[in-house]
Amino acid sequence: MGERATSHSVTVEVNGEKVSRIVAARQLLVHFLRDTLGLTGTHIGCDTGNCGACSVIVDGKLVKSCMILAPQVDGAKIETVESLAQDGALSPLQESFHEHHALQCGYCTPGMLMSATYLLRQNPEPSDEEIRRGIRGNVCRCTGYVNIVEAIREASRGQATGRRSVHAAAGEEV
Amino acid sequence: MTITSDPVTGEATKTWSGRAMPRKEDWRLVQGQGSFVDDGGMHGQGYAWFVRSPYGHARIVSIDCEPALSMDGVYTVLTGEEAKAMCEAPFFAIAPPPGSLMQEWPLAVGKVRYQGDAVAVVLADSRETARDAAERVLVEYEPLPAVTDGVAAADPTAPLLYDEAGTNVVWNGVFDYGDVDWALENADHVVKLDRLHFHRFSSTPLECNGAVVDFDHGTGVVSVLSNYQMPMFAAMVIGPTIGVPMNKFNFVTKDIGGAFGLKIGFYPQIAALALLSKKAGRPAKWTEFRTEHMLTAGHGNERTFVDIEVPVMADGTILGVKARAFDDAGAYLHYEPLGAVIWSQVVPGCYKLKHVRVDYTEVVSNKCPVTPNRGYSRMQHLWMIERIIDVVARELGIDPVEVRKRNYVQPEDYPYETPNGCIYDSGDLPRSLDIALELAHVDEWRARQRELGTGSGRRIGIGIGSTLDSGTNNFGQSRIINPELPFSGNGEVAIAKLDLFGEVNVNLGTTPQGQGHETTASQVAADILGVTPDDVTVSTGFNQANNAYVGFSGTYASQFAVTGLGAVMGAAQKLRHQIVKLAAFALHAEEDEIELAGGVARVRGDEERAIPFIGLANMVYTNNAGLPSELLSECDLNARYVYIPPFEVPDTVAKTGNLTLTYASQVHVCVVEVDEETGEVKVLDYAAVDDCGKRINPLVVEGQVHGATGLGIAASLYESFDYDESGQLEEPSFYEYHVATSLDIPKIVCGNIESPSPFTPNGAKGMGEGGGAPLHAVCAAIQDALGPGAPVVTDSHNHWARVYEMLHRAPGTPRGVEVISRSGGSDTGVTSL
């Protein structure tokens, strides 16, 4: 206890960009992303792997980044919430979360979006029950999950079109 | 689309208010571009880690900081004694004696009073070093006997948390309205309940607490970047302690990852960090971790009601209630004993109870200090009232729907004055209930319930929760606790401004945590200023430098739609007035000829005569030579407005007065299935009908209903904080404390009606806390499923083991209820034990 930790070299591809850093052996992946790389979209909610706020995709698999050390992912491809929007356009899931008010404080949202992204890759047209199972590792304290389930379902059906974005709402009858 | 009349022209116009607009905040949040407290920092900061007590109650024998200080990278360690020596006074006490004798300092001094009590704090060059160093601060403790039960704590023989107070009782008061003794003597039935217990839980925001605090030795300014939700309350409490005047604080919040009231409780940590920064000469950053949060960040109020007596007439009319309440504040008084009066905003619940006496006792115990938690203090009382309604219905053989409808405040009764002088503003409870029953398919479930019968191993239960979400506090109610307190009324601030290029900007005194203030404030301002919500920039969070605050500023207690948007309306109207005045001058027109549309001021009927906002801003900010000084002095395009709701100081002797401005209501209906073999409860159908007056953004309102419902269901079935006798918390992480997941919360169907408040600027009522309706409804549904002759559901938390026990309790075991019935004035002594 208290001895200076040994260091490791970690080389990963994060959101399409190759990065190399020397990190402490005990550094968690979530701290590597947030502190070392400054990708603060990935959040920490529980430290015990229960809440999923830190969910990212590592080599195609959904991972809670507080449950894995940075040196363990050496050589991997990592996707975080920062990868979802492309060229200034939100992903269909992000758009659907917005349209369906599937976020309030927004703290669980990055992890929830990564879980939902992973779910739809595995199962492009999930039932509501499958959606609920797919996000059961992601805790949300604000929404009661109601609109999250709806947003994922509608995104899977290609229903998120941007029609209810703030500006477009101007002409819409409610 | 809402059609209303233009406030100036009287013409019919389409408005942004009232629309279910998706939120502006979402754009950054779905991309991970929110700015939460741990995302930020200050130059040269160190990382703080608190050294916390493993004991529930112990004397601090000694603290040895040397092993920590000798580590590389450790800047300093601050102990409780040292911190106290840097302070001018303990934290401000809300309570009169003996509560005021229960002093608190930024860190524990002399003894620790709960598991997690902070005895020292380390500052180091990294989070990891600070954590390692905290383990090397050697604290010797002498354990003391603990008290962890709220009723037992009030006993004079209980271990004392504060020897200097001579008691664990913080405050006691009798709230006595009408004549409950007369009612008990003259009622046809008196229903008696031994004990009801509202359990301890927390809505555990997913983002833990955090702050970066800098004590600037040069200027004396204390900068606090945090996710604290009531900034100037913290400033007022800690300022006199650490010797900092209000104008030397700079509180800032940005995005906040949920709060639910719980982020009112961590001002001691902010004070400790300020002293740590002062000692170290550099900013101190602290990010709470989950177990630290569960142990120390604040739990909701736990309340035990005993000796409950309810006078009821033969037709089901309930005359009132008499009870004793013991509220357990935990080890320190962080907002308490305000809860001891805040419940009285809803003395009769949703009902026309005339005779109420509650003997209320607030105690301290060796548990985590309590903090307001969504539904704060009212839901505990409302839960008792709802339990009483259902017990009365069951014991007297009346349908719970009929008992409610008979006793509800009726639509024609509003404004309705309660026995303690609160004014219920508007509503339609019977209609809300009818809608909820239909949305939850109650007729079908009743049929299914009969079909299942006995022997299937499964039982269906249907329960109702009628509740109130009182909003916009009159802080004068604090004087019912302590007449010496200098608080009354309420208020909130907004600043509406045209910036240098004519941009519309709004600054608020609020600290939103997901309630969409940037969106709803934009909607309101856009309507008044003739622009779109996209044209209005609302600053994120609170910044003391904006000067948009009063002492009550923040986001708590279901009030933004009234106080926050009331301030936005006032500020935007002031700005509009200035814009019109400047435009009339520039366009050589009369003020009543000017209309605003599309960011342009123009002469009605003559579109050629127009000036865009940038032109008006130019006149004031950068091109004002030769303009009349009178015009410029009136039109600085920077309009600050303080919304102050109409309140009087309550009568502190009679404990009466109007304690809150608005009363949103929610009626929930829950259908459950109970598995006889396991006690497991599954929610089959759930409906929530909300009435919060005029809705500014129905999407946001419905989201709040979903959220409050989810947290309530979670608390009723899954989430509970329990302590053992020595004061060890049994659920210190999300492993033990089962936060409800997507598999635990059912689909929630919402309905709504709008009964506009006659007392608010916009007809809206504050909402969001939800009044704990799911706790009422789930308990009632479990009670219904247990069937005739079953024990009374006496606890607000009913995990499977407790339900199993109630299902299989031995025949002849007391059910916890007794009914004394009279006829012709004589006691017939009919009881059912």
Side-chain angles (χ1 to χ4, degrees):
Chain A
M1 185 184 71
E3 287 171 27
R4 283 297 177 170
T6 56
S7 298
H8 287 264
S9 171
V10 174
T11 300
V12 289
E13 187 185 308
V14 180
N15 301 335
E17 197 177 326
K18 198 168 181 181
V19 294
S20 292
R21 295 287 189 278
I22 307 292
V23 302
R26 67 174 174 180
Q27 188 178 43
L28 295 168
L29 175 56
V30 69
H31 288 144
F32 177 72
L33 293 170
R34 288 180 54 79
D35 301 344
T36 305
L37 301 184
L39 293 170
T40 55
T42 302
H43 294 151
I44 300 171
C46 73
D47 311 307
T48 49
N50 295 83
C51 84
C54 63
S55 300
V56 297
I57 295 173
V58 177
D59 286 337
K61 289 186 176 162
L62 188 66
V63 165
K64 288 178 175 171
S65 61
C66 76
M67 291 285 103
I68 188 167
L69 296 166
Q72 289 178 275
V73 299
D74 188 28
K77 284 185 179 174
I78 300 169
E79 298 165 71
T80 71
V81 68
E82 286 90 350
S83 71
L84 296 180
Q86 296 287 335
D87 303 323
L90 300 182
S91 76
L93 267 168
Q94 288 173 310
E95 192 65 56
S96 191
F97 268 55
H98 167 61
E99 289 175 15
H100 297 283
H101 191 34
L103 63 150
Q104 290 181 28
C105 80
Y107 197 78
C108 77
T109 308
M112 195 67 84
L113 282 166
M114 296 315 289
S115 271
T117 298
Y118 176 78
L119 170 69
L120 294 190
R121 283 182 192 170
Q122 306 297 310
N123 180 359
E125 290 179 51
S127 66
D128 279 13
E129 180 64 25
E130 287 167 336
I131 292 171
R132 285 184 180 271
R133 290 200 174 282
I135 60 168
R136 72 171 188 262
N138 293 76
V139 168
C140 172
R141 299 304 271 165
C142 296
T143 66
Y145 305 100
V146 180
N147 288 347
I148 293 175
V149 173
E150 188 178 323
I152 296 171
R153 184 207 312 123
E154 295 308 307
S156 75
R157 293 177 184 173
Q159 296 297 311
T161 60
R163 69 184 168 81
R164 284 180 64 186
S165 68
V166 174
H167 220 104
E172 193 192 356
E173 301 295 314
V174 174
Chain B
M1 183 79 66
T2 308
I3 309 291
T4 59
S5 68
D6 185 295
V8 174
T9 65
E11 291 171 5
T13 176
K14 292 176 177 178
T15 66
W16 295 98
S17 296
R19 284 193 212 179
M21 272 180 46
R23 302 186 315 165
K24 299 173 67 169
E25 293 87 338
D26 296 349
W27 178 258
R28 63 175 183 273
L29 295 173
V30 296
Q31 297 188 75
Q33 293 172 344
S35 184
F36 295 93
V37 65
D38 188 55
D39 301 340
M42 294 184 195
H43 180 70
Q45 70 190 7
Y47 295 81
W49 202 276
F50 286 92
V51 179
R52 296 187 177 279
S53 166
Y55 293 101
H57 198 192
R59 196 170 68 81
I60 301 169
V61 178
S62 65
I63 302 177
D64 180 5
C65 301
E66 280 311 313
L69 287 168
S70 65
M71 288 173 63
D72 284 345
V74 173
Y75 298 134
T76 193
V77 181
L78 181 73
T79 66
E81 290 285 359
E82 251 183 296
K84 181 181 175 183
M86 295 167 78
C87 291
E88 296 180 4
F91 292 132
F92 162 80
I94 288 166
S100 61
L101 302 174
M102 300 171 181
Q103 294 183 346
E104 183 179 16
W105 300 88
L107 297 166
V109 177
K111 69 192 285 198
V112 290
R113 296 183 173 87
Y114 74 105
Q115 183 195 12
D117 208 350
V119 297
V121 58
V122 174
L123 194 72
D125 64 359
S126 75
R127 179 178 48 233
E128 289 75 18
T129 307
R131 185 172 196 167
D132 288 348
E135 288 188 14
R136 290 193 171 190
V137 174
L138 305 178
V139 186
E140 188 185 342
Y141 297 97
E142 177 192 325
L144 298 167
V147 59
T148 57
D149 177 82
V151 179
D155 191 290
T157 63
L160 286 179
L161 272 79
Y162 298 84
D163 290 334
E164 52 278 29
T167 175
N168 292 326
V169 173
V170 178
W171 187 86
N172 170 265
V174 178
F175 296 75
D176 196 1
Y177 310 113
D179 187 347
V180 78
D181 292 329
W182 173 88
L184 289 166
E185 279 164 22
N186 290 282
D188 295 323
H189 311 279
V190 174
V191 177
K192 295 186 174 184
L193 288 154
D194 301 334
R195 180 178 181 273
L196 291 173
H197 175 249
F198 190 96
H199 76 295
R200 178 177 269 252
F201 63 92
S202 156
S203 297
T204 62
L206 201 55
E207 182 202 35
C208 293
N209 295 330
V212 193
V213 182
D214 179 48
F215 195 112
D216 186 315
H217 284 275
T219 61
V221 170
V222 175
S223 298
V224 183
L225 170 64
S226 77
N227 54 13
Y228 190 84
Q229 71 182 104
M230 201 175 174
M232 301 319 292
F233 174 76
M236 289 191 290
V237 173
I238 71 179
T241 296
I242 63 172
V244 176
M246 296 299 100
N247 63 349
K248 296 278 180 166
F249 276 113
N250 187 25
F251 270 87
V252 174
T253 71
K254 295 184 179 176
D255 289 308
I256 297 179
F260 313 120
L262 293 148
K263 284 175 178 163
I264 292 174
F266 73 97
Y267 58 80
Q269 287 91 321
I270 293 174
L273 293 167
L275 298 174
L276 184 66
S277 170
K278 186 178 188 178
K279 183 179 178 189
R282 62 172 72 235
K285 175 172 179 168
W286 167 66
T287 304
E288 189 178 55
F289 67 106
R290 177 54 60 185
T291 292
E292 186 179 31
H293 182 92
M294 306 300 271
L295 284 168
T296 70
H299 297 167
N301 291 57
E302 177 183 3
R303 194 170 302 166
T304 307
F305 302 92
V306 297
D307 303 336
I308 303 156
E309 297 183 48
V310 186
V312 190
M313 301 310 286
D315 67 356
T317 301
I318 300 173
L319 302 179
V321 59
K322 177 182 167 187
R324 290 197 296 146
F326 291 87
D327 191 88
D328 181 351
Y332 294 96
L333 302 172
H334 283 179
Y335 202 67
E336 298 305 325
L338 285 181
V341 67
I342 282 174
W343 70 271
S344 72
Q345 296 168 8
V346 292
V347 163
C350 297
Y351 308 97
K352 294 202 271 190
L353 309 185
K354 301 286 188 199
H355 310 284
V356 179
R357 184 191 298 154
V358 176
D359 183 341
Y360 193 104
T361 302
E362 187 77 50
V363 302
V364 285
S365 74
N366 295 114
K367 298 196 279 195
C368 176
V370 300
T371 306
N373 185 35
R374 201 170 194 166
Y376 174 48
S377 193
R378 294 94 88 209
M379 77 176 157
Q380 285 81 352
H381 179 74
L382 290 160
W383 175 78
M384 175 187 73
I385 298 284
E386 286 295 284
R387 284 281 65 226
I388 285 171
I389 298 292
D390 281 306
V391 169
V392 165
R394 168 160 300 250
E395 298 303 317
L396 300 184
I398 313 173
D399 186 330
V401 173
E402 291 315 308
V403 173
R404 283 186 170 78
K405 286 190 174 176
R406 177 171 297 280
N407 290 284
Y408 273 155
V409 175
Q410 299 297 317
E412 63 273 18
D413 295 332
Y414 298 102
Y416 178 80
E417 184 171 345
T418 69
N420 63 324
C422 291
I423 310 295
Y424 290 180
D425 47 350
S426 61
D428 191 340
L429 291 160
R431 194 166 140 238
S432 295
L433 177 54
D434 284 336
I435 296 170
L437 292 167
E438 195 180 327
L439 289 175
H441 313 100
V442 163
D443 288 344
E444 292 161 46
W445 287 117
R446 281 281 175 227
R448 179 82 183 121
Q449 190 179 35
R450 284 191 295 273
E451 271 169 38
L452 266 182
T454 53
S456 68
R458 290 178 297 152
R459 302 189 193 185
I460 284 175
I462 298 163
I464 299 164
S466 317
T467 203
L468 296 172
D469 192 349
S470 48
T472 305
N473 281 340
N474 175 358
F475 277 86
Q477 65 200 279
S478 64
R479 296 200 206 177
I480 290 173
I481 298 293
N482 181 356
E484 304 298 318
L485 290 176
F487 303 123
S488 68
N490 199 330
E492 191 51 276
V493 186
I495 295 171
K497 176 180 180 177
L498 284 197
D499 221 313
L500 299 190
F501 285 178
E503 304 95 332
V504 180
N505 197 76
V506 173
N507 292 329
L508 300 170
T510 60
T511 57
Q513 315 118 27
Q515 297 92 338
H517 292 186
E518 291 170 45
T519 303
T520 50
S522 296
Q523 290 174 265
V524 169
D527 282 338
I528 294 168
L529 297 172
V531 293
T532 73
D534 278 356
D535 298 326
V536 181
T537 297
V538 179
S539 301
T540 300
F542 180 93
N543 191 325
Q544 201 174 341
N546 288 341
N547 192 28
Y549 63 89
V550 289
F552 304 116
S553 286
T555 296
Y556 56 91
S558 294
Q559 62 179 25
F560 177 73
V562 177
T563 58
L565 294 182
V568 172
M569 285 175 75
Q573 280 158 352
K574 272 174 96 167
L575 180 61
R576 180 191 173 94
H577 180 70
Q578 294 184 15
I579 289 170
V580 167
K581 210 172 182 65
L582 282 166
F585 175 83
L587 301 173
H588 306 288
E590 297 299 320
E591 287 178 27
D592 60 8
E593 291 181 285
I594 302 295
E595 62 182 13
L596 307 187
V600 170
R602 65 191 183 204
V603 178
R604 192 175 301 103
D606 186 358
E607 294 201 1
E608 296 297 305
R609 292 166 69 197
I611 182 167
F613 285 1
I614 188 172
L616 298 170
N618 176 252
M619 284 167 64
V620 170
Y621 293 121
T622 50
N623 194 11
N624 54 27
L627 295 182
S629 59
E630 201 178 314
L631 181 71
L632 290 171
S633 69
E634 277 185 58
C635 303
D636 61 358
L637 294 179
N638 196 343
R640 182 176 188 271
Y641 185 85
V642 183
Y643 170 75
I644 296 177
F647 282 127
E648 301 293 327
V649 177
D651 180 333
T652 59
V653 176
K655 298 187 176 69
T656 56
N658 193 17
L659 307 186
T660 37
L661 193 67
T662 65
Y663 288 84
S665 69
Q666 286 195 20
V667 179
H668 291 210
V669 172
C670 172
V671 181
V672 300
E673 181 181 273
V674 174
D675 184 325
E676 289 180 4
E677 204 174 338
T678 63
E680 194 183 359
V681 177
K682 184 180 171 195
V683 179
L684 301 174
D685 224 330
Y686 201 99
V689 175
D690 166 74
D691 181 359
C692 64
K694 188 173 173 340
R695 298 183 300 172
I696 308 302
N697 186 328
L699 202 59
V700 169
V701 167
E702 198 167 282
Q704 291 294 312
V705 173
H706 290 160
T709 304
L711 291 177
I713 293 172
S716 67
L717 293 173
Y718 307 109
E719 300 175 11
S720 175
F721 281 128
D722 304 279
Y723 283 84
D724 73 8
E725 286 182 359
S726 69
Q728 295 290 308
L729 179 63
E730 293 175 359
E731 301 89 358
S733 82
F734 279 177
Y735 269 120
E736 301 87 355
Y737 189 86
H738 180 89
V739 281
T741 71
S742 51
L743 295 179
D744 300 318
I745 305 298
K747 184 175 165 67
I748 298 159
V749 180
C750 287
N752 93 289
I753 60 176
E754 287 194 4
S755 306
S757 174
F759 302 144
T760 64
N762 47 13
K765 303 182 186 188
M767 62 84 59
E769 292 194 79
L775 290 139
H776 321 328
V778 170
C779 285
I782 293 171
Q783 185 79 72
D784 189 49
L786 292 175
V792 169
V793 173
T794 57
D795 206 291
S796 55
H797 182 61
N798 291 283
H799 58 91
W800 64 268
R802 183 166 282 138
V803 177
Y804 180 88
E805 187 277 327
M806 288 190 285
L807 280 164
H808 300 279
R809 197 177 288 181
T813 311
R815 295 170 51 233
V817 61
E818 178 185 12
V819 181
I820 298 167
S821 298
R822 300 184 186 87
S823 58
S826 66
D827 193 336
T828 62
V830 177
T831 63
S832 66
L833 275 171

